[in-house]
Amino acid sequence: METNTMKLCVILVLSTILPENTVCNVFVYEFTRLTGCSDSVDESEFFYSLNQDEIIYVDFKTKQQIIRLPPFTEPIDFRYLYDIAVNERDACVQDIKSVKAAIGSPSEARDPPEISVYPRHDVVPGEKNNFICFVKNFYPPHIRVNWTRNGDEYSCTVEHQALDSPQTRTWEEPIEVPNVTPTVVFAVGIAVGILGLATGMFFVIKATCFR
């Protein structure tokens, strides 16, 4: 976007016949005209502002001038303002083309996307759910996203100009591993108990037989 700005400062001095050593009031008003354009999208701006408050602008889509002054103020005649704005816009676009022809277009910044896949809700076997492929922080905005499913495995593949090759993120339903610790401990406890009982019986029998 190229912008051309013209500023006009108006100094208003209010004074009357006053005694000596009296200071006069000085008011400074900043009157600004701005023209903005772009050669890649149909976006242009043209407006006037007074002390950074927009007072009128041109809508290029409706081909109208929109006055932003309060209704209680006296109307201002901006005759031929739309024609002036069109000429300014065309000159702005031509300036961009001339600069690009002379020095070329700057290389476009590219940011690779960040990708993650997750379910919308907690996964419950047998219940419906939605899966989200969340892609963020990428530029340019054009991107392609594809979903694939293989059994309980959901994959999201993203293609983007900033990526050397398509990137895939996968979500797979976790497999619940049964908790075998209590069973093992219980089995070991029984084995130790049986071993202890057998050992005790051995010593009892031995003591009885060899008296």
Side-chain angles (χ1 to χ4, degrees), residues 2 4 37 88 90-100:
E2 177 181 298
N4 297 322
C37 67
E88 291 281 347
D90 294 344
C92 179
V93 172
Q94 187 59 44
D95 289 342
I96 293 179
K97 292 180 179 180
S98 299
V99 171
K100 291 179 66 174

Side-chain angles (χ1 to χ4, degrees), residues 107-119:
S107 58
E108 187 177 40
R110 295 183 179 183
D111 296 319
E114 300 175 21
I115 312 164
S116 57
V117 177
Y118 55 88

Side-chain angles (χ1 to χ4, degrees), residues 187-208:
V188 172
I190 293 177
V192 173
I194 293 175
L195 179 61
L197 179 60
T199 304
M201 291 180 63
F202 171 76
F203 283 108
V204 170
I205 295 172
K206 180 179 179 181
T208 304

Side-chain angles (χ1 to χ4, degrees), residues 24-56:
C24 298
N25 293 324
V26 178
F27 300 92
V28 179
Y29 294 90
E30 184 181 63
F31 190 67
T32 303
R33 185 185 75 188
L34 182 140
T35 304
C37 67
S38 173
D39 68 332
S40 58
V41 292
D42 188 18
E43 293 182 356
S44 299
E45 289 186 78
F46 184 90
F47 67 82
Y48 285 94
S49 65
L50 181 63
N51 290 346
Q52 299 183 356
D53 291 328
E54 188 176 75
I55 59 176
I56 189 171

Side-chain angles (χ1 to χ4, degrees), residues 43-150:
E43 293 182 356
S44 299
E45 289 186 78
F46 184 90
F47 67 82
Y48 285 94
S49 65
L50 181 63
N51 290 346
Q52 299 183 356
D53 291 328
E54 188 176 75
I55 59 176
I56 189 171
Y57 73 93
V58 169
D59 188 333
F60 288 100
K61 293 182 179 180
T62 61
K63 300 181 180 181
Q64 293 180 342
Q65 58 187 38
I66 311 299
I67 298 177
R68 302 293 297 274
L69 293 173
F72 57 81
T73 59
E74 294 185 4
I76 302 177
D77 184 11
F78 288 95
R79 192 174 304 174
Y80 309 119
L81 182 63
Y82 178 75
D83 295 334
I84 295 173
V86 170
N87 292 334
E88 291 281 347
R89 181 197 60 186
D90 294 344
C92 179
V93 172
Q94 187 59 44
D95 289 342
I96 293 179
K97 292 180 179 180
S98 299
V99 171
K100 291 179 66 174
I103 63 176
S105 300
S107 58
E108 187 177 40
R110 295 183 179 183
D111 296 319
E114 300 175 21
I115 312 164
S116 57
V117 177
Y118 55 88
R120 180 183 294 272
H121 308 290
D122 293 337
V123 177
V124 178
E127 293 188 6
K128 292 183 178 181
N129 207 334
N130 293 322
F131 288 86
I132 299 172
C133 183
F134 185 52
V135 186
K136 64 177 182 177
N137 297 335
F138 58 90
Y139 189 85
H142 181 72
I143 196 167
R144 183 187 298 273
V145 179
N146 294 315
W147 276 103
T148 56
R149 179 184 178 184
N150 183 12

